[in-house]
Amino acid sequence: MIVADNETAVDLLYYQAVARTVVRVVAEESDEPLSVGVHGDWGAGKSSVLMMVEEALAGSERVLCVRFNGWLFQGFEDAKAVLIETVVDELLRKRPKHRKLADQAEKVLRRVDWMKVARKASAYGISLATGIPHPETIRDLGAAAQAVLARGGEGATAENLGKLVEGSNDFLREVEEDSAPEQMHAFRKEFGELLERADIDRLVVLVDDLDRCLPEIAIETLEAIRLFLFVPRAAFVIAADEGMIEYAVRQHFPDLPVTTGSATYARNYLEKLIQVPFRLPSLGYAETRIYVTLLLVLNDCGEESDEFSEIVGLAREVLRRPWKGLGLERAAIGEALGSVPEAVERALELSGRIAPILADGARGNPRQIKRFINTMMLRLAIAEERGFRDELNISVLAKIMLAEQFAPELYDAMARGSANTGAFEELDALEAAVRQEPAGASETKPADGKSRDAAGEASPPELPNLEWAKQWAAIEPPVAGHDLRPYVFVTRDRRSVFGAVTSLGGLDELVAKLLGSPLQVRQVAAEVARLRTLEAEQVFDALRARVRDAEELAEEPAGARGLAEISRHHPFLRPALLAFLKDLPVSRLGPWVVTGWAGTFAEEDAKAEFDGLLDAWAKQDENRPLKAAATAATKLGKRRGRR
């Protein structure tokens, strides 16, 4: 049902062309050190390209391919040491019978252990200089000393282990004083000799998920490649988002000038580290349509099916020159399979409908497209388990999900407008207008008051994000005539604002007034006081959801005065209001939040708790305007109390 969102060697986007080019570049200059970058946004397919490169090199006896993921070791080990140890251990694993190789590997690994000791020395330099080692230092140096002795094999006794720990300070002072450059040059020489003894033409290290690492880990890994491992016969293929690596450079070197000429220093640094960049392009309309089709066929038929294998082959031919066509052709599929299976027909129909907006909305990102397909399939499965799958049209669901993901304000209006009857008149009018149909052609008439042109055609109603909505409304099938409530229900995980609104019925008008100006709120005080307990709770939930989802809290959001008014008349809601105020993000709050609650929190217990909240706001330092307002309110309250 769900398409796995993992790197894969199943090539749905014809990235084999990129992978084969990387392999060719690596092979052409096998005696020279090389760094290749595979760049693209998160989810663009970088890890899949690395997997294809690894698969292409797997059959070569003269090429050793090692995969390294720095993100997996983040926070546990020194990035340089882990990278070097991974490479050396993989060499030993794949060349287990080479005794000379094993001896040289021991020398390299012993130097790595001393690098770890030196790293700890720098971390605790003050303690070592004064001759009073920190407890952490003793433990770390002892662990490194054990590793060194273990590499040496014989003579690893408790006595000489103690001597080694005792002599660690002297060694570390040597490293600090005069041997850091020598250590680096010696390591490069020993590592080069290691590759010679391995009897290979090329060592290829695939570095993945570097853009997921913290900045210091990302830079440390890149510098380890250039300083320690960049020797003849070594090649590195680095998958990373260029923007994230540039950010890591800026964080690691905060004092760098912003620019130099037409490029940033961060970009220059990256280009020095990576010699040959490959940038994965965003998917266009044709690629998006093919990708959606393949995902849907894969979901229905499975990876091992003849239908999927045939269609992947046809897709690859189209993807060689995507600018020449719009996607997979039914005629070609029918010729290859004898006929077009029902599952493939559904995939072609749906991909043709959603690809235009999905290509733009997902910015051509394969992961975002895959997440859209997975979310849609999951929602259909939930509807089936609940027993209303037959009430959902998959094409209508996909269309509504496009609005949910790429125009949330339109989706919000649709959800609110259809809450009572399942129909949304403004949306019906919009679809009629963009299709240039008379409004009477729709099952639901346009909303009252909408103008028509001389030909009697409906003009677009006032809806949020109208230009996007027009393009969306033109997508088949039309939503008019469908009960939208099951679609809103199955997609409601995006926001909870509709939970209270959809069940309010006749209270909608009161909620609208409580969302208005302070004068409007005061005018409905009597109506608020007459609410029954359940009704008051429903109105409170609706107002709270509106305030919580407000984009801007620097100014008082609509609904805040309404919350104060309804809690003033219904005391059982005051604890919930206090808890809500405590949960508001302090960094975004404006001074408005400290005033206007006097009538609500008049009782001693509630007043004391609100005063405690004011005191907390007055003591925080992340929001200066809020701090000043809360401090003033606290002082004013104390003066009144003294009187």
Side-chain angles (χ1 to χ4, degrees):
M1 178 182 70
I2 298 299
V3 181
D5 188 15
N6 303 315
E7 65 270 17
T8 176
V10 180
D11 188 11
L12 304 185
L13 293 168
Y14 198 44
Y15 280 170
Q16 279 286 357
V18 177
R20 286 199 296 265
T21 305
V22 171
V23 170
R24 191 171 68 188
V25 168
V26 168
E28 281 177 352
E29 301 291 339
S30 59
D31 291 334
E32 297 297 324
L34 181 68
S35 57
V36 177
V38 178
H39 302 310
D41 297 335
W42 280 357
K46 302 183 296 294
S47 296
S48 293
V49 170
L50 290 195
M51 181 173 285
M52 294 173 198
V53 170
E54 185 177 19
E55 189 177 75
L57 296 172
S60 174
E61 287 294 324
R62 305 294 303 169
V63 177
L64 179 63
C65 193
V66 177
R67 194 177 182 106
F68 176 76
N69 189 321
W71 189 47
L72 297 179
F73 300 98
Q74 181 170 272
F76 296 97
E77 289 281 359
D78 173 12
K80 293 193 300 291
V82 171
L83 173 59
I84 296 168
E85 286 178 330
T86 300
V87 172
V88 175
D89 289 343
E90 193 67 11
L91 274 168
L92 289 172
R93 188 180 71 82
K94 294 189 176 181
R95 294 288 190 273
K97 297 180 181 179
H98 289 57
R99 183 59 205 170
K100 290 183 178 180
L101 176 67
D103 293 341
Q104 186 67 21
E106 288 298 325
K107 292 175 64 177
V108 172
L109 291 173
R110 191 177 297 117
R111 199 170 294 277
V112 171
D113 292 327
W114 284 124
M115 286 168 54
K116 293 180 182 179
V117 175
R119 179 183 176 91
K120 292 302 179 183
S122 64
Y124 302 108
I126 296 176
S127 296
L128 292 174
T130 59
I132 309 174
H134 189 281
E136 287 290 328
T137 310
I138 297 171
R139 181 165 63 249
D140 293 330
L141 294 181
Q146 286 179 336
V148 172
L149 287 173
R151 302 289 188 202
E154 297 180 2
T157 65
E159 181 181 355
N160 56 26
L161 175 60
K163 290 179 180 178
L164 182 59
V165 174
E166 289 174 7
S168 293
N169 289 358
D170 293 336
F171 168 79
L172 291 169
R173 290 192 187 96
E174 274 183 31
V175 172
E176 290 178 354
E177 288 172 6
D178 60 6
S179 64
E182 286 81 355
Q183 288 285 326
M184 185 182 73
H185 291 307
F187 180 88
R188 287 171 59 85
K189 180 181 178 182
E190 290 175 0
F191 186 72
E193 292 175 3
L194 180 68
L195 295 189
E196 287 184 14
R197 295 189 183 188
D199 190 27
I200 57 175
D201 294 332
R202 196 55 134 166
L203 168 68
V204 181
V205 182
L206 308 176
V207 182
D208 200 6
D209 282 339
L210 201 59
D211 46 9
R212 292 190 183 188
C213 296
L214 294 173
E216 61 182 282
I217 302 299
I219 298 303
E220 192 174 348
T221 302
L222 287 171
E223 291 192 338
I225 291 171
R226 292 292 293 187
L227 295 176
F228 294 98
L229 304 180
F230 209 62
V231 299
R233 303 190 190 188
F236 295 84
V237 183
I238 302 163
D241 177 1
E242 287 176 297
M244 289 301 295
I245 298 301
E246 289 186 40
Y247 169 77
V249 174
R250 291 194 297 271
Q251 295 298 305
H252 193 71
F253 303 108
D255 296 328
L256 281 177
V258 177
T259 61
T260 171
S262 60
T264 65
Y265 276 96
R267 173 54 63 98
N268 289 340
Y269 180 92
L270 179 62
E271 290 176 351
K272 189 172 184 65
L273 288 171
I274 296 177
Q275 297 166 309
V276 183
F278 284 85
R279 293 178 179 85
L280 300 181
S282 299
L283 305 185
Y285 167 68
E287 294 105 321
T288 298
R289 184 172 181 180
I290 289 171
Y291 189 55
V292 171
T293 302
L294 292 177
L295 287 175
L296 294 173
V297 173
L298 175 63
N299 184 72
D300 273 350
C301 303
E303 185 179 328
E304 303 299 325
S305 66
D306 293 338
E307 292 90 346
F308 181 71
S309 298
E310 288 286 348
I311 292 175
V312 167
L314 293 172
R316 189 161 297 175
E317 290 302 315
V318 178
L319 288 170
R320 291 180 190 275
R321 299 174 182 82
W323 62 88
K324 286 193 171 183
L326 297 178
L328 290 165
E329 296 182 357
R330 284 177 174 80
I333 294 174
E335 184 177 346
L337 299 177
S339 63
V340 180
E342 184 179 346
V344 177
E345 183 63 48
R346 285 198 304 270
L348 290 170
E349 178 190 6
L350 185 57
S351 65
R353 290 178 178 177
I354 68 176
I357 289 182
L358 197 54
D360 180 60
R363 297 180 177 86
N365 186 286
R367 176 169 292 158
Q368 293 299 323
I369 294 170
K370 189 180 291 185
R371 285 171 64 87
F372 182 92
I373 299 299
N374 280 341
T375 302
M376 183 173 67
M377 294 303 175
L378 184 62
R379 287 169 170 177
L380 288 171
I382 291 172
E384 185 172 358
E385 290 297 324
R386 284 182 172 268
F388 66 90
R389 170 64 180 84
D390 292 343
E391 299 177 42
L392 296 179
N393 179 300
I394 188 171
S395 298
V396 173
L397 175 62
K399 182 173 179 178
I400 290 174
M401 283 180 59
L402 288 173
E404 175 199 15
Q405 186 164 346
F406 302 125
E409 62 280 5
L410 176 63
Y411 173 84
D412 290 357
M414 187 191 321
R416 285 192 293 267
S418 63
N420 292 325
T421 65
F424 183 37
E425 294 180 345
E426 285 82 355
L427 181 58
D428 296 354
L430 176 64
E431 288 187 329
V434 298
R435 287 174 170 77
Q436 296 297 301
E437 298 172 353
S442 172
E443 292 185 17
T444 307
K445 294 182 180 180
D448 293 340
K450 301 300 178 186
S451 62
R452 302 178 187 280
D453 60 22
E457 296 167 342
S459 61
E462 291 298 324
L463 283 171
N465 203 346
L466 185 58
E467 290 307 312
W468 191 95
K470 289 178 183 178
Q471 184 185 4
W472 174 83
I475 298 174
E476 294 291 340
V479 172
H482 291 274
D483 185 346
L484 299 183
R485 287 174 295 184
Y487 296 96
V488 171
F489 179 85
V490 82
T491 59
R492 68 177 181 170
D493 59 305
R494 195 186 66 80
R495 293 177 77 179
S496 60
V497 66
F498 311 115
V501 175
T502 54
S503 60
L504 292 182
L507 297 175
D508 284 343
E509 186 176 347
L510 176 59
V511 170
K513 292 175 181 177
L514 290 171
L515 289 169
S517 66
L519 177 60
Q520 288 177 297
V521 171
R522 287 195 296 271
Q523 288 174 342
V524 295
E527 191 176 349
V528 169
R530 289 195 297 268
L531 290 174
R532 295 189 295 269
T533 298
L534 179 59
E535 293 173 332
E537 189 170 356
Q538 289 175 321
V539 172
F540 178 87
D541 287 343
L543 295 171
R544 179 173 57 181
R546 286 298 295 270
V547 174
R548 181 181 59 243
D549 293 330
E551 298 293 336
E552 181 59 60
L553 291 176
E555 302 294 332
E556 182 177 301
R561 291 306 101 202
L563 283 173
E565 187 68 18
I566 196 168
S567 300
R568 183 169 71 87
H569 290 284
H570 299 276
F572 78 94
L573 293 172
R574 291 171 188 170
L577 177 58
L578 274 167
F580 175 63
L581 292 176
K582 289 178 181 178
D583 287 340
L584 290 174
V586 172
S587 61
R588 295 174 52 205
L589 283 177
W592 64 268
V593 76
V594 306
T595 59
W597 311 103
T600 305
F601 302 126
E603 297 175 348
E604 284 301 318
D605 290 347
K607 184 179 182 302
E609 192 166 353
F610 182 70
D611 287 345
L613 180 57
L614 280 177
D615 189 52
W617 285 336
K619 291 178 179 177
Q620 55 81 33
D621 291 318
E622 59 180 312
N623 186 331
R624 295 290 182 181
L626 177 62
K627 179 184 180 76
T631 300
T634 301
K635 290 179 179 177
L636 180 62
K638 289 179 179 178
R639 284 200 298 270
R640 288 174 176 171
R642 284 196 294 270
R643 294 197 206 110

